[in-house]
Amino acid sequence: AFGTEPVPLTWTFALIRSEQRGFAERVALQRLEQIDTATQAVDDDFDDVSSDLEFAAQAVGLLGEQELTDSLSAMLAMAKPYRLAIALDPQCNTRQVVADPRLPSVPEPLRAAAERTALVACQADDDGLVTSLNLSSGDEWYRVFARPLDGPHSGSLAFLVDTRPMLVRLQAVTADRATELLVLGPHGMALPLSSPQIAKASATPSALPGFANVISAMRGGDRGTRRLDASEAQRLGFPNADVLAVWVPIPVQGGEDWSAAAFVSTDSLATPGALARIALTGFGGTLLLVALGAYVAVVARNEVRTTERLRHAVAEARLHERAELLLDHVPSWVLALDASGRVIAGNQALADVASFRAGATLAATFPAASQSAIETLNNLVRDAQLNDEPQRRRARLQLLGERGAFDLRA
């Protein structure tokens, strides 16, 4: 029908192939966006663990034995993924072991792993986060997170954490059968929710050059996309078609980054029906993208700024909520004061023995206290403000009508 001039057919075939490549690239970007969203939720969970550890580590050095037990028990009770807490003293001897009261017992191998990780953190020369290898027990994926209490060689605190509720969110990326997942932990090893064949290949990837580059980039904390040829795809368990790989890091506050990757087979993108849809919609889609490009760019920039502000606000709210919950379970009396020394709030233990209100002075909060007792408290608060560091006094004071021995900290 075309005689000796096959140009229209050749041009149409080239256009379809070009649009197919463009479609594959758009699929890769879509998967990148999906995995970004999923890993953001995991990142937030890991930030919570790190913040809880930091907050609890600061409190450990200020608490007596019973107060420490009560505080750690409260934290385990309010944070569902935490199963065990272990505190070591500056000599790296076990000071306190508290298990989740909702569990009948913690298996000995998990407890031993928590003690080993706490010891590594105690002996470390920096105050960074230390994490164990993955510890599987039944359907749970445990990992130990530990950090020094107050700088190197000051003791340490470790939490045994069930990471399964955090990591299963990544499985949303594999909703279609053409996509497989690979998640690497802080030691560069594949986690249980990874595709078994891809996880096995990640241990020794050198035989697959393209795949090896992906693994190297993941372990290096990078993000990106790469097309793997059909020969490598088949050895990873995919059909005989190229595979699109997209990967992003999962930052861990104060520790080594984790990483997640999605591998998408292009086999489903190469069917005749898909090619026809590409040819019919490619031109119109391109015009639409050009028309909306400038608008989307502006909206995206605003969204990024708004999202970042919201994330900071949510993080602060979570930390504030955890602080309140923890302090309400501490048997010590706790008062929060503003810069002028007036009461902002108090915990439940203080409310049980004294009547306080926001804006009141220390003298009004303890009406039965002697003048010397109020002066001691005011001086302690003043020294903490002037020196910008914690202060501590041991004294016999008349605070509630009778004289008693107090351990005061500000």
Side-chain angles (χ1 to χ4, degrees):
F2 291 106
T4 59
E5 298 183 7
V7 175
L9 180 61
T10 303
W11 181 85
T12 302
F13 180 78
L15 173 63
I16 290 176
R17 288 302 179 191
S18 175
E19 287 297 329
Q20 184 193 14
R21 287 192 296 271
F23 182 61
E25 290 173 1
R26 291 195 291 274
V27 169
L29 292 176
Q30 182 188 45
R31 286 295 188 275
L32 190 62
E33 182 179 349
Q34 289 175 343
I35 201 168
D36 257 332
T37 302
T39 55
Q40 185 60 67
V42 177
D43 180 25
D44 290 342
D45 287 337
F46 284 159
D47 280 349
D48 286 345
V49 174
S50 182
S51 296
D52 286 348
L53 257 180
E54 183 177 5
F55 182 82
Q58 293 171 353
V60 165
L62 302 175
L63 301 177
E65 296 306 313
Q66 187 57 49
E67 292 175 328
L68 177 58
T69 299
D70 293 341
S71 298
L72 293 178
S73 297
M75 181 159 282
L76 293 179
M78 73 183 185
K80 293 181 180 179
Y82 303 164
R83 296 291 181 260
L84 183 74
I86 295 181
L88 303 188
D89 62 21
Q91 289 72 46
C92 298
N93 297 317
T94 301
R95 176 185 171 188
Q96 196 72 262
V97 179
V98 180
D100 184 349
R102 297 165 297 183
L103 297 180
S105 63
V106 175
E108 185 56 36
L110 295 180
R111 174 171 171 156
E115 291 177 339
R116 287 194 301 270
T117 308
L119 182 61
V120 171
C122 186
Q123 296 173 340
D125 292 327
D126 58 54
D127 58 357
L129 189 69
V130 177
T131 57
S132 71
L133 295 173
N134 187 67
L135 309 165
S136 296
S137 178
D139 291 332
E140 282 128 356
W141 306 330
Y142 288 108
R143 195 174 291 264
V144 183
F145 295 78
R147 67 177 308 129
L149 294 182
D150 185 24
H153 311 297
S154 59
S156 64
L157 179 66
F159 286 161
L160 176 66
V161 181
D162 180 9
T163 60
R164 184 185 182 89
M166 308 175 186
L167 296 173
V168 291
R169 300 178 183 183
L170 295 174
Q171 291 179 329
V173 179
T174 62
D176 60 271
R177 290 180 295 177
T179 304
E180 298 290 350
L181 184 68
L182 174 66
V183 182
L184 301 182
H187 303 278
M189 299 177 64
L191 301 188
L193 75 165
S194 302
S195 162
Q197 196 156 345
I198 297 178
K200 183 178 179 181
S202 70
T204 54
S206 56
L208 306 171
F211 180 68
N213 287 335
V214 173
I215 299 302
S216 177
M218 291 177 68
R219 289 172 176 163
D222 297 332
R223 59 180 287 126
T225 64
R226 186 183 180 93
R227 194 179 185 107
L228 305 180
D229 63 39
S231 62
E232 290 196 16
Q234 285 184 293
R235 296 178 66 179
L236 293 174
F238 290 96
N240 185 21
D242 290 359
V243 162
L244 303 174
V246 298
W247 64 92
V248 296
I250 306 175
V252 177
Q253 179 184 332
E256 297 180 45
D257 288 351
W258 298 36
S259 187
F263 296 83
V264 188
S265 174
T266 61
D267 181 57
S268 60
L269 309 180
T271 63
L275 293 178
R277 289 192 298 272
I278 292 167
L280 289 172
T281 62
F283 182 67
T286 300
L287 288 179
L288 181 62
L289 288 175
V290 171
L292 295 179
Y295 173 75
V296 170
V298 172
V299 172
R301 283 196 296 271
N302 290 337
E303 183 182 3
V304 167
R305 287 194 291 267
T306 302
T307 301
E308 195 60 29
R309 286 196 295 268
L310 182 61
R311 282 191 62 207
H312 285 303
V314 169
E316 289 183 6
R318 285 177 174 173
L319 185 58
H320 182 71
E321 180 184 13
R322 280 173 168 74
E324 286 188 338
L325 287 170
L326 182 60
L327 292 176
D328 265 343
H329 285 80
V330 174
S332 301
W333 305 344
V334 181
L335 272 176
L337 307 176
D338 64 16
S340 65
R342 292 183 176 273
V343 173
I344 298 173
N347 72 338
Q348 187 58 48
L350 181 61
D352 291 340
V353 297
S355 177
F356 60 86
R357 58 180 176 80
T361 62
L362 287 173
T365 302
F366 298 102
S370 65
Q371 183 177 352
S372 63
I374 297 301
E375 287 178 355
T376 299
L377 293 178
N378 282 325
N379 290 338
L380 183 70
V381 171
R382 182 200 62 202
D383 290 346
Q385 291 175 323
L386 291 177
N387 296 314
D388 196 26
E389 63 183 15
Q391 300 293 312
R392 181 178 183 178
R393 305 274 193 282
R394 284 192 173 95
R396 293 189 61 80
L397 304 175
Q398 181 183 331
L399 280 179
L400 300 177
E402 296 183 3
R403 198 172 184 83
F406 290 89
D407 184 3
L408 308 171
R409 303 163 192 257

